[in-house]
Each structure stands twice: as structure tokens, then as C-alpha cells.
Amino acid sequence: MPAEFDRHSADYETAVERAVAFAGQPHDVYIEAKARKLLDLARRRLGAEQVAALDVGCGPGLVALHLSGRVSALHGVDVSEAMVERARAAVPEAEFRVSEPGRLPYEDGGSTSRTPCACSTTWSEPSGARCSRRCDG
């Protein structure tokens, strides 16, 4: 599976742009809106002004780019080494790691600190130990 994602690393933005072309806006409009919504949701659900973000399935760092400077710590994981390399280049102040499918590359299964964790699709309790609780749960 990682090799499949590696193949799309070079043309990822082009593929996303094609996927949203019907809406008439560049893909970055939607990515930035997603980052804003994630921050708003994290602050409402976790009650913290500054949250730490863990972008699961970070790809080339498109969402992380918009979270950078707006969170206390920024981490990203992806199964694709090529995507992680691109994310590191795009957002050098964040920490990106390659992960195995279905596993987070941290000893405790979560983030590297005990701060709130905001994931792209799921949220954790303030302990930051796991990113497994759904936003609507």
C-alpha cells in the first residue's frame, strides 16, 4: 500500500485540483477551510486555546501548512515515505514520520507529548495518548 501512495506523490495536488474543479475554486481554498474548521472544533471540544495537532494521513503536508503557527505543536504521519519527505520540505517546523498502515509511530500509540491532539479526521481526549475518538462522539 505505501508504494501506491508513493506513486502519487509528485502529482497529488494536480489530482486534488481535478477532483474539486467542478466547484470552481482552487483546492487550497478547501484545504485552508478544513484547517480552520479543525482548529475551531478542537478548541470547542477540548476547551484549549492552544492545541497540538497530529495530522494522520498527512500526505504532502497541505493541511499542516495551514495549521503551522496556529497550534502549540504540529506532527504528521503518513504511510508514504515520499509524501512525508514532501511534508517535511513544505512545513519544516513540524515533525513528520512514516507510519505503518493502521498504526501510529509513537511508543504510547499517540502523540509525543501529553497535550491535546487534533487529527485530520479524529480527535483525542486532552491526554493526547490516542487519536481515536470521533469528532461527533
Side-chain angles (χ1 to χ4, degrees), residues 45-116:
R45 295 283 293 184
L46 301 173
E49 192 57 34
Q50 282 290 313
V51 295
L54 173 60
D55 187 354
V56 178
C58 66
L62 300 179
V63 174
L65 192 59
H66 291 285
L67 294 175
S68 179
R70 300 170 76 185
V71 295
S72 60
L74 181 55
H75 305 272
V77 297
D78 201 284
V79 297
S80 167
E81 178 70 42
M83 292 286 198
V84 167
E85 287 174 15
R86 291 194 56 211
R88 287 175 180 150
V91 192
E93 62 276 13
E95 178 189 321
F96 295 96
R97 295 185 186 186
V98 176
S99 64
E100 295 176 32
R103 296 190 54 148
L104 294 177
Y106 302 103
E107 282 184 35
D108 66 357
S111 67
T112 58
S113 62
R114 297 289 180 192
T115 57

Side-chain angles (χ1 to χ4, degrees), residues 32-49:
E32 197 271 333
K34 178 181 179 177
R36 274 196 328 266
K37 286 301 254 182
L38 288 169
L39 287 169
D40 179 57
L41 182 58
R43 289 180 179 131
R44 283 189 290 125
R45 295 283 293 184
L46 301 173
E49 192 57 34

